[in-house]
Amino acid sequence: MLSSNHAWGLPRHSLSLVVVAGMLLHIVTARAAHAQSAVIDIGSNVGLPGHAVDVTVSLATSGGLQVAATVNDITFYRRAMTLETTDCRVNPATGKTLSVAIVQQTRSSRTMRLFVQSIFTAPPILDGPLYTCTFHIAPTALPGDYPLIIRTSQGFGPTGVEVPRVSGMGGSVAVTLVLVPSVTPTPTPTVTPTSTVTPTPTVTLAPSPTPTLDPCPPDLMLDPAAGPPGSQVRFSGRCYFVHSGRRGTVYFDNTQVGTVVGDTAGSYRGTLTIPSDAAVGTHLIHIASPRDFATASFDVVPLAATCVGDCNGDATVGIDDLLQAVSVAFGDAAPSSCASVDANGDGTVSIDELLTAVQRALDGCSSAPPT
């Protein structure tokens, strides 16, 4: 017969947590197929140097999620193309307004923030185009694929509360020298010659100076630019030194963490993993071929997984914390109500993170992170 205090050899508190863990797995399995989410998708287009191209940003939702307003950033390489705050226009079918601002600018990149807002009413936005921006390709832009990076992506429901699971998908503008548009031929007008034609004097103009494009901008774009040890970081840039399949070496401080290969024009992109033993603080990510040609700073923050699931910050994980974590995982509670359950900081709560929270409840927050 089981003791009232130590059923199955476990203390009553631990037994309750084991039962809750089983309930969590059941809830996760039953509701995973109905998870609500939304994606803000930056489109892509192709254009010639000196021309303008339209890029349309769209919204796609699933699981019946209602989104009435959005905000997202777009970062682009400003030496290959330009985009001003007046170059974007909202899709009239949304019934919303569009606000655009420049939030960051370096010598070679610019980040724009775009708000699709509800002013008087807040009906949900139907899936489809949110707005369109016209990018002006520089006359000196080299052929290649120039990424449009989305760093911030948020959505808000009809009540004004932020909705969970809103992610972003980047796009690109491809610059080409061969583009055959579909054009209807214009008939050639018939000109009747006049009896006397006075020749127009020829005027020779001095050629305009051609701007010089930096063959290897030093800016290296990171997404994200901060995170705990073990984080996955996307990076991108452009450098002629790695064009046409040439290879560069990626370093975290003085540790090699990967290699990268450029395309025909020298554009490159890849993913690196922050070393698991990286110290908290600012570190240097740089790419060399053989000398450094691109650098960026990455801030290593404390690993949140030491107490995953401690919603109220009391250094313990109780049953109330676990139930709150489940509510966050399925969008029934705001992410800020239990931020610690998102151990890897990717904006979503996975089954592994919920199970880690249960392990924290059993073993305590002071124990080593579970393997």
Side-chain angles (χ1 to χ4, degrees):
M1 183 172 180
L2 297 178
S3 167
S4 60
N5 292 327
H6 291 78
W8 298 333
L10 293 175
R12 177 177 297 175
H13 175 68
S14 297
L15 178 60
S16 299
L17 289 172
V18 171
V19 173
V20 171
M23 294 173 58
L24 290 179
L25 287 176
H26 176 74
I27 295 172
V28 168
T29 302
R31 298 186 58 182
H34 303 285
Q36 297 177 321
S37 64
V39 177
I40 299 175
D41 182 10
I42 299 179
S44 300
N45 208 340
V46 182
L48 300 166
H51 287 227
V53 295
D54 287 342
V55 174
T56 298
V57 178
S58 303
L59 175 69
T61 61
S62 62
L65 183 65
Q66 292 189 336
V67 177
T70 64
V71 56
N72 69 273
D73 290 352
I74 299 178
T75 301
F76 62 92
Y77 181 57
R78 60 190 292 256
R79 294 193 177 183
M81 52 191 160
T82 60
L83 179 69
E84 303 299 332
T85 56
T86 55
D87 290 332
C88 298
R89 51 206 175 276
V90 73
N91 175 17
T94 63
K96 312 294 181 179
T97 61
L98 182 67
S99 178
V100 187
I102 300 172
V103 295
Q104 186 178 11
Q105 182 165 294
T106 66
R107 189 175 65 166
S108 61
S109 67
R110 170 179 287 183
T111 299
M112 315 282 283
R113 181 159 295 168
L114 301 101
F115 300 88
V116 177
Q117 302 168 317
S118 293
I119 302 300
F120 300 109
T121 60
I125 301 173
L126 299 179
D127 287 4
L130 286 173
Y131 57 85
T132 299
C133 294
T134 301
F135 287 83
H136 301 272
I137 302 174
T140 55
L142 294 173
D145 192 41
Y146 296 92
L148 304 177
I149 301 172
I150 182 167
R151 299 185 182 275
T152 298
S153 52
Q154 293 177 280
F156 299 86
T159 61
V161 177
E162 181 179 359
V163 297
R165 287 191 175 85
V166 178
S167 59
M169 181 179 298
S172 66
V173 171
V175 178
T176 180
L177 299 183
V178 180
L179 184 66
V180 183
S182 177
V183 179
T184 303
T186 304
T188 304
T190 302
V191 179
T192 303
T194 56
S195 57
T196 304
V197 177
T198 302
T200 303
T202 302
V203 179
T204 303
L205 299 177
S208 301
T210 302
T212 301
L213 185 67
D214 188 348
C216 191
D219 302 277
L220 177 62
M221 295 184 182
L222 302 180
D223 182 22
S231 296
Q232 295 287 313
V233 179
R234 295 182 294 274
F235 64 88
S236 61
R238 185 186 66 80
C239 181
Y240 186 75
F241 298 156
V242 293
H243 77 96
S244 303
R246 289 171 172 80
R247 189 176 298 273
T249 305
V250 185
Y251 293 91
F252 179 86
D253 291 336
N254 296 321
T255 302
Q256 181 178 341
V257 292
T259 59
V260 68
V261 175
D263 63 11
T264 303
S267 297
Y268 60 86
R269 64 180 63 193
T271 303
L272 62 91
T273 301
I274 302 300
S276 59
D277 59 351
V280 174
T282 301
H283 296 261
L284 181 67
I285 293 177
H286 53 115
I287 306 179
S289 178
R291 67 174 181 84
D292 284 356
F293 63 78
T295 59
S297 296
F298 184 88
D299 292 327
V300 175
V301 300
L303 186 64
T306 54
C307 202
V308 176
D310 178 17
C311 301
N312 57 14
D314 63 355
T316 61
V317 178
I319 294 178
D320 290 342
D321 292 315
L322 293 176
L323 296 178
Q324 184 67 20
V326 171
S327 297
V328 173
F330 292 105
D332 298 332
S336 58
S337 66
C338 192
S340 67
V341 74
D342 182 13
N344 60 9
D346 64 354
T348 62
V349 178
S350 66
I351 295 177
D352 289 341
E353 287 168 328
L354 288 175
L355 293 179
T356 301
V358 173
Q359 191 69 42
R360 285 283 172 261
L362 292 168
D363 298 341
C365 288
S366 60
S367 62
T371 302

